[in-house]
Amino acid sequence: MDTGREEILDIAVVSDTRLLVIVYAIKKVIMVNSQTGGTVAQITLKSKPRRVCMFENIRAVVTLDDKSLQLININGDSLELGRSLRRNGDVWGVARNEDRLIVSYCSPPWLEVLSIDGRVIQKFNNRAVGVDVFKWPIFISTSADGMVYVSDWNKSIITLDSNLHVIRTYPILQQPCGIISVSADQVLVCSQDNHRILLLCPSTGGITSILGEQDGIKKPLALTFSSSQKKLYVVPNEKSGRIQIFQQQ
């Protein structure tokens, strides 16, 4: 899919035929038709957006580069600005965990669990195990069973439980980026510098390459998955506005 838009930083599935696309440079969130690539709706933000997650199917949460979260209401084929939540740090990743949000910060790095109105429920101590757990936690995903997966630009994936206790660290040597939990024992992650999509199996700790340069993968930055359509959407780290689509067999 070629959306004709540059510098996409993240994407999220809204429905079988709708995607939210985060376009950094022009401060926009754009809802596109995932079958045609055409624009359905768009909205301009106060600052540049970084990451997005869906909170139910009628609301999205976007992290901004001005240390805030922006709620966006989805009303059919229209987008409306909701509440803005001011934070006390350089917020990057965001994911939903039931009725809560988990957000990540850089400079310095930490995690927070928030209510949807911005109240801090829990904060993760980055030195909980005696050393820095992560350096640049730029993407987050959560699974249905409450596990939290943090993609750290410092070349690792960290798994935490719902209480933010560290369970496992996966060494990923080629700059991990976007991450998405697709089932209880399947987590997909972009390995940018070796041009691969990796499959992590939390129960065994195994890592397998499922897509690579031979499949057209080049510097993958972000990804999302439609379980109903069994489609994987991948955003390359380039300014082409291109979104790659892979059908699960």
Side-chain angles (χ1 to χ4, degrees):
M1 179 195 305
D2 186 350
T3 66
R5 305 175 183 95
E6 63 179 37
E7 206 169 5
I8 296 173
L9 287 197
D10 204 7
I11 50 176
V13 172
V14 178
S15 69
D16 289 349
T17 60
R18 299 289 184 264
L19 291 174
L20 282 187
V21 178
I22 301 302
V23 189
Y24 180 78
I26 59 175
K27 303 180 184 178
K28 287 186 181 293
V29 174
I30 302 175
M31 185 158 58
V32 303
N33 185 309
S34 58
Q35 298 174 330
T36 67
T39 296
V40 176
Q42 59 183 299
I43 197 163
T44 302
L45 307 175
K46 61 178 180 176
S47 300
K48 293 177 179 179
R50 288 171 167 169
R51 307 288 181 250
V52 61
C53 78
M54 293 298 300
F55 197 91
E56 302 174 336
N57 61 350
I58 58 170
R59 184 182 296 168
V61 182
V62 178
T63 64
L64 303 180
D65 70 352
D66 68 349
K67 300 183 179 181
S68 68
L69 301 173
Q70 177 65 58
L71 275 57
I72 297 176
N73 299 319
I74 302 171
N75 184 11
D77 284 343
S78 66
L79 301 175
E80 301 171 355
L81 290 177
R83 185 174 180 177
S84 177
L85 306 176
R86 188 70 182 172
R87 309 312 307 147
N88 293 319
D90 186 28
V91 62
W92 275 83
V94 61
R96 176 191 178 186
N97 191 355
E98 296 184 344
D99 61 345
R100 300 175 178 182
L101 295 172
I102 299 180
V103 296
S104 66
Y105 300 84
C106 296
S107 302
W110 82 90
L111 301 183
E112 279 182 340
V113 180
L114 305 175
S115 66
I116 192 63
D117 61 1
R119 178 174 55 89
V120 177
I121 298 170
Q122 186 177 357
K123 184 174 179 178
F124 176 78
N125 178 2
N126 193 36
R127 294 185 64 85
V129 294
V131 296
D132 288 344
V133 177
F134 40 65
K135 300 290 187 181
W136 298 98
I138 58 173
F139 281 92
I140 304 177
S141 183
T142 55
S143 62
D145 60 359
M147 300 298 287
V148 180
Y149 301 95
V150 178
S151 180
D152 193 292
W153 186 248
N154 197 45
K155 303 180 181 180
S156 63
I157 302 295
I158 299 94
T159 303
L160 306 95
D161 64 19
S162 57
N163 294 314
L164 300 186
H165 297 139
V166 176
I167 303 299
R168 187 194 297 270
T169 297
Y170 300 84
I172 306 290
L173 300 180
Q174 289 83 18
Q175 302 293 14
C177 293
I179 190 167
I180 187 79
S181 172
V182 299
S183 72
D185 202 35
Q186 292 185 318
V187 178
L188 299 179
V189 59
C190 296
S191 183
Q192 182 170 264
D193 283 3
N194 72 343
H195 315 294
R196 294 184 183 277
I197 304 298
L198 303 178
L199 171 66
L200 278 58
C201 296
S203 64
T204 65
I207 304 175
T208 306
S209 176
I210 63 166
L211 293 170
E213 287 188 89
Q214 71 277 10
D215 305 294
I217 297 292
K218 185 175 182 180
K219 288 191 173 296
L221 174 65
L223 76 174
T224 192
F225 183 74
S226 170
S227 57
S228 60
Q229 297 290 298
K230 298 188 181 303
K231 288 182 179 179
L232 175 66
Y233 299 90
V234 179
V235 175
N237 188 8
E238 59 188 23
K239 295 184 178 181
S240 67
R242 187 166 60 105
I243 299 173
Q244 297 172 286
I245 305 173
F246 300 91
Q247 183 71 56
Q248 185 184 50
Q249 301 300 319

